[in-house]
Amino acid sequence: MSKLSNKKILLTTGPTREPIDPVRFISNYSSGKMGFALAEEAVQRGAEVLMVKGPTYAPFKDATVKVIEIQTAAEMYDAVNANMEGYDIIIYAAAVADYTPKHIAENKIKKNDNEFSLELVKTKDIAYEMGKKKSATQFSVGFALETDNEEAHALSKLNKKNLDMIVLNSLRDVGAGFQVDTNKITILDKKGNVVKFDMKSKAETAKDILDYVEQMLN
């Protein structure tokens, strides 16, 4: 029997959209595919899954997973904060915006000037804030998508956010990252281990990640 059987998993996935005006927003290329694969694999292992999902273009179709749909980073923060306490494992797979417009225009911004400046403010770092209130029995998994000094940046996030393990992607690896069906990961954990995996489908990568979670739950 899987060690995830009857465990409650809270999972974030997809992008966030930070509105500029009624018709425009700031976002990123996240498709939510890695989060979808993790949710499906967790259900196969007998876990109860709550997905907090940003606005993906493809819907998530597994009816056994409870889904909270959000748009903005603030909405994702609120959803995770409101539900985190009742969950054994939290997986932060979403690509959350780091910044959001300070002011949202009430009407569509017209193209008048040659230059246009947009003032941005930091969003709350969900994994960092939840890491401060995580209980001793909760297990948390972060994700880091990096373009340089990958392992150093991932390790910094692991420690800063009080994570138990972090899944690192490098955009320098062709076939890894956003909007593809494959992934190539490195896992770093709080015990100091660094484990590299080959390029695989996201479904197979989800198995590797959850195998690692089960191993650490020992």
Side-chain angles (χ1 to χ4, degrees):
M1 179 184 291
S2 168
K3 289 183 175 61
L4 299 185
S5 181
N6 298 318
K7 293 287 187 184
K8 296 182 71 176
I9 298 177
L10 179 108
L11 167 78
T12 70
T13 194
T16 63
R17 289 179 179 175
E18 309 304 315
I20 297 170
D21 64 15
V23 298
R24 301 180 181 93
F25 55 82
I26 297 170
S27 191
N28 57 63
Y29 294 113
S30 175
S31 64
K33 288 180 178 181
M34 192 66 251
F36 288 4
L38 283 163
E40 289 164 355
E41 181 61 25
V43 167
Q44 290 295 315
R45 298 181 188 216
E48 176 187 331
V49 179
L50 169 64
M51 177 187 289
V52 181
K53 186 180 83 63
T56 58
Y57 289 100
F60 182 71
K61 297 179 180 179
D62 190 335
T64 62
V65 174
K66 181 182 177 184
V67 178
I68 298 175
E69 302 270 1
I70 61 88
Q71 292 285 322
T72 67
E75 290 171 354
M76 182 169 279
Y77 174 89
D78 289 343
V80 175
N81 190 44
N83 290 281
M84 175 187 168
E85 190 174 329
Y87 284 80
D88 305 299
I89 299 166
I90 302 96
I91 302 176
Y92 302 102
V96 184
D98 293 322
Y99 291 89
T100 190
K102 187 172 184 178
H103 303 289
I104 303 170
E106 291 185 10
N107 300 307
K108 180 182 176 183
I109 298 169
K110 298 299 183 182
K111 186 171 65 175
N112 295 320
D113 301 323
N114 289 333
E115 295 184 4
F116 171 73
S117 296
L118 186 65
E119 191 173 3
L120 303 175
V121 293
K122 270 188 179 181
T123 59
K124 286 184 180 178
D125 187 320
I126 298 172
Y128 174 72
E129 295 298 334
M130 296 306 112
K132 291 191 288 188
K133 60 185 283 186
K134 184 179 81 167
S135 74
T137 59
Q138 287 180 311
F139 187 94
S140 60
V141 182
F143 275 71
L145 180 64
E146 304 293 343
T147 58
D148 64 288
N149 297 321
E150 291 94 335
E151 288 186 19
H153 288 311
L155 184 60
S156 174
K157 290 178 179 178
L158 174 76
N159 294 323
K160 178 184 175 184
K161 301 181 184 188
N162 191 24
L163 299 166
D164 294 285
M165 56 181 270
I166 191 163
V167 180
L168 169 63
N169 298 122
S170 172
L171 277 183
R172 293 195 292 183
D173 291 326
V174 177
F178 294 140
Q179 296 188 327
V180 291
D181 294 320
T182 54
N183 211 349
K184 184 178 181 181
I185 65 168
T186 299
I187 292 178
L188 298 85
D189 67 40
K190 64 180 181 181
K191 297 177 182 178
N193 299 308
V194 178
V195 182
K196 297 179 183 293
F197 294 83
D198 294 330
M199 183 78 68
K200 298 181 181 181
S201 70
K202 283 186 173 172
E204 291 297 320
T205 300
K207 292 178 181 179
D208 288 338
I209 293 169
L210 294 183
D211 283 347
Y212 206 100
V213 170
E214 290 196 23
Q215 188 178 312
M216 289 202 70
L217 289 177
N218 284 333

